Amino acid sequence: MTVYLRSLETAVPPTILVQPEARAVFAAQPGLTRLGSRLVNTCFDSAAIDTRHTAVKELTTDSRAQDPQFFDPATGLLLSPSTKVRNDIFATEATKLFIEAAQKALDACPGVDVLDVTHLITVSCTGFFNPGPDYKIVRALGLNPAVQRYHLGFMGCYAAFPALRAAKSFCEADPEAVVLVVCAELCSLHVRTSNDPDTIMGSALFADGAAAAVVTARDIPGEPALLQLDHFETVLTPVGEESMAWNIGDEGFEMVLGNYVPHIIDDHIIGALEPLLSRDGSLHGLRYGDIQHWAIHPGGRSILDKVQSRLELSDEQLVPARETLRNFGNMSSATVLFVIKHILDLPAAGEDRDGKDVPAVNPGAERICSMAFGPGLTVETALFTRLPVRRAAAAAETPDAETAGADPARPVSVRA
């Protein structure tokens, strides 16, 4: 049974944070020590991020909030709302992203009707409410009220892979199944001023975004699939349990992202990939050199640096991950789907950037190895096959999801 990803779409809030201006705000907070101020500048400047998106509309220079809860532009002070305040905003704003991304994914798959969807999987680790996002999507999009609904909560940055793996299993069990997978995260709800290095790192990296995919084994005539879902694996590293964590505090969720995480990944990334492929090709018939594309979750610049060095990947193979980090930051579970979409929007072998046929050494399907890292330390890996039927020109005809609702020429940002 072959299971396919038929569409993959993204969505982001319209408010844009410009990294240097956000850094200036965080560095100017009165409670920072001299060391804390240096850490803010170092973390923000070394993050390799230009812009991020946020659902917190107060984080703008033209905010007119009568009673600001996150940021007071008049004083330049970052405020400390309670977890309840943050979660209430999550319930409202995350719902919008869940619905927008889900609608785009279905619109991009015209061979699937909304009533064809048999399973819905939602993913988030940045808030909770019930009836939850799965319920909201069913009602807003008019899905069959009997659709099977599942929510994967609080798993962290790797959660898109358990969602896709579950979707694959559903389709293998029922050849007529159509699974809608939607990840949405509002990480910026939980940023705060602090002298703690982990908190500062989180403030420099995290952002908001959503991604959705339609997965099915159905044959849909005239509608080519994007990816073949081949194989998934999970590996827990023997160390790192205390180095990456996500806890609930009185003033939002508290991120633990130790500076030793890149070293843990450096030490254990080869072992994490062994279930998928090996250097001598003895597993799954694949070698590292057989993989054309690497969709790495950009947990941070130093993590990408370690992965690239350890796996001896080219600069070109890291472009999708680095560009996603540069333009969107770390959006937790949704991020790796942005990276995969970046790869799908590239010209395939045998195509130029206008989608026209050109000679190619290896025309046809291309293999993608993808991985994401999260609390535990958990490493999720996946193998995909990019099918040779997607045209770059077709992708270019679709408005960019990341710019929907925003004017990129006039970004709004926080200012001191």
Side-chain angles (χ1 to χ4, degrees), residues 294-331:
W294 291 80
I296 312 299
H297 167 66
R301 180 193 56 78
S302 58
I303 290 176
L304 292 179
D305 290 346
K306 291 292 185 182
V307 171
Q308 180 175 6
S309 175
R310 177 61 67 180
L311 300 183
E312 301 176 353
L313 304 181
S314 68
D315 289 343
E316 184 179 4
Q317 288 174 312
L318 265 291
V319 165
R322 294 194 189 277
E323 286 298 302
T324 297
L325 181 65
R326 184 176 306 281
N327 296 323
F328 300 103
N330 184 340
M331 300 164 286

Side-chain angles (χ1 to χ4, degrees), residues 327-406:
N327 296 323
F328 300 103
N330 184 340
M331 300 164 286
S332 192
S333 68
T335 319
V336 73
L337 298 180
F338 275 67
V339 178
I340 294 171
K341 187 175 189 303
H342 189 291
I343 292 171
L344 291 174
D345 288 340
L346 294 172
E351 293 179 349
D352 65 13
R353 291 193 176 276
D354 294 322
K356 299 176 182 178
D357 292 334
V358 296
V361 176
N362 295 306
E366 302 169 359
R367 304 308 293 270
I368 300 173
C369 184
S370 187
M371 65 183 71
F373 320 98
L377 187 79
T378 302
V379 182
E380 288 277 352
T381 56
L383 275 177
F384 307 115
T385 301
R386 181 192 184 193
L387 303 175
V389 290
R390 180 176 173 85
R391 295 294 187 186
E397 293 173 1
T398 303
D400 291 338
E402 57 267 20
T403 61

